[in-house]
Amino acid sequence: MKKIAFFDAKPYDRIWFDKWNKSAGGKRFQIKYLENKLTADTVDLAHGSDAVVAFVNDTLNREVIGHLQELGIRVVGMRCTGYNNIDLHAAKGKLTILRVPNYSPYAVAEHAMALLLAINRKVHRAYIRTRDYNFSLSGLTGFDLNQKTVGVIGTGQIGRVFVKICKGFGMNVLAYDPYPVQGLDVEYTDLNRLFRESKIISLHCPLTEQNRHMINEESLKKMQKGTILINTSRGALVDSRALLNALQKKHVGGAGLDVYEEETSVFFEDCSNEIVTDDVLSLLIALPNVILTSHQAYLTQEALSCIAKTTLDNLECFFEGKELKNRIEDAAPL
Ligand code: NAI
């Protein structure tokens, strides 16, 4: 039976991987669940395994990839869609990297809308107030989403579901994508106009070398006063310090962030007994018009189930020499 070293394992991962790892005769794989993230310091934990399963904040740089090769590992199953944490040049010809190209665009798009609704209608503040028997409404005024313009950056699987949800709220949608989708009920435009005319901006594109910090001091200045920014994509799309400044100057009206550019060391972990030394993160969290969730947009039962099934199916296809549909190099040709 092939052995898998499963990095950064959480209880909610195990439920679904254990379920889909069952086969009629017992188990499909022998899975070693490791709490550690994959890094140069932990890569040796994969010793004796045939495959590695990794996630968004695991490190797959040249050094780690070299170590994996030395350990005789030829395949990595990413249990996620994004692959910005992988040095694809270093992996080329050494490792086959498989991913889960789509599991539930609804999970992420619905979370983006949850963040928007909560920020706009100040649900997080109302919740705290009424628990303390403070039934005052002062400071809780929002605005109707109906007829407002939302700018959607990236109209792939998640962006398209988000567009549909926004349409259901009666919103006007402007969109930017270098590869526009034919027949989608949106008005495609350039980024400058999208920044200028949108009351809400939601990011649904992958992080690449080209669009790192696409939301920066300059682009924030182009936005309307009071714009709400939603980021459920990747943290480094946004220059967090520039966003913090724009929020402090009250130019940006609010932010719903499920991702953060320096999330690797803190997200998915309980840091409540520690002193977090990332000042930008602390200041963002402290603002009343920011909601930060810990990369949880994907966290629905349907998504977790699909992630586990696809990851194990991907590895099975690899070991059985079957056609590989979900190779990262097919999604990101070098
Ligand atoms: P997708 O591949 O279906 O769509 C991405 C779209 O972005 C494509 O239409 C592409 O043409 C477009 N795009 C590429 N570069 C762009 C740019 N510079 N500006 C604007 N658009 C650009 O991907 P999907 O499934 O919709 O996921 C989008 C992103 O959401 C992923 O790359 C990932 O970073 C993030 N994600 C976040 C999750 C979370 O839990 N917070 C879970 C899953 C994905």
Side-chain angles (χ1 to χ4, degrees), residues 56 78-83 99-103 158 234 328:
V56 290
M78 296 301 295
R79 54 183 200 279
C80 54
T81 305
Y83 42 82
R99 66 170 186 148
V100 185
N102 57 333
Y103 38 89
I158 296 169
R234 283 294 179 266
I328 281 185

Side-chain angles (χ1 to χ4, degrees), residues 67-197:
H67 276 299
L68 288 174
Q69 206 191 11
E70 281 164 24
L71 292 173
I73 288 169
R74 291 180 299 129
V75 61
V76 173
M78 296 301 295
R79 54 183 200 279
C80 54
T81 305
Y83 42 82
N84 51 287
N85 53 332
I86 305 170
D87 184 335
L88 296 178
H89 287 278
K92 196 175 165 77
K94 294 184 184 149
L95 280 180
T96 297
I97 305 189
L98 305 163
R99 66 170 186 148
V100 185
N102 57 333
Y103 38 89
S104 171
Y106 308 102
V108 183
E110 288 171 12
H111 191 75
M113 181 48 89
L115 288 173
L116 171 56
L117 287 170
I119 284 289
N120 177 32
R121 304 306 299 269
K122 292 141 179 93
V123 178
H124 55 305
R125 297 181 58 203
Y127 172 76
I128 302 287
R129 279 192 195 182
T130 53
R131 281 169 68 91
D132 200 26
Y133 295 90
N134 174 356
F135 299 107
S136 154
L137 297 183
S138 299
L140 299 186
T141 310
F143 57 82
D144 289 5
L145 292 183
N146 182 48
Q147 295 299 310
K148 295 298 181 303
T149 298
V150 57
V152 177
I153 300 182
T155 51
Q157 316 225 35
I158 296 169
R160 288 203 294 277
V161 175
F162 186 71
V163 165
K164 206 168 152 191
I165 294 172
C166 290
K167 289 276 174 183
F169 276 83
M171 301 171 82
N172 307 314
V173 184
L174 285 177
Y176 169 75
D177 193 309
Y179 303 98
V181 179
Q182 297 297 322
L184 189 65
D185 184 19
V186 298
E187 187 182 349
Y188 279 104
T189 185
D190 55 66
L191 277 178
N192 279 336
R193 182 173 161 223
L194 185 145
F195 290 145
R196 260 196 336 267
E197 295 187 13

Side-chain angles (χ1 to χ4, degrees), residues 81-82 101 103 108 153-159 176-179 204-207 211 214 232-234 258-259 295-298:
T81 305
Y103 38 89
V108 183
I153 300 182
T155 51
Q157 316 225 35
I158 296 169
Y176 169 75
D177 193 309
Y179 303 98
H204 298 288
C205 58
L207 173 65
N211 66 9
M214 71 187 300
T232 55
S233 261
R234 283 294 179 266
D258 186 52
V259 284
H295 209 134
Q296 74 171 72
Y298 76 102

Side-chain angles (χ1 to χ4, degrees), residues 119 124-125 243-248 281-291:
I119 284 289
H124 55 305
R125 297 181 58 203
L243 174 64
L244 175 64
N245 289 341
L247 284 157
Q248 286 174 328
L281 177 64
S282 302
L283 287 167
L284 280 171
I285 291 171
L287 291 175
N289 51 350
V290 172
I291 296 182

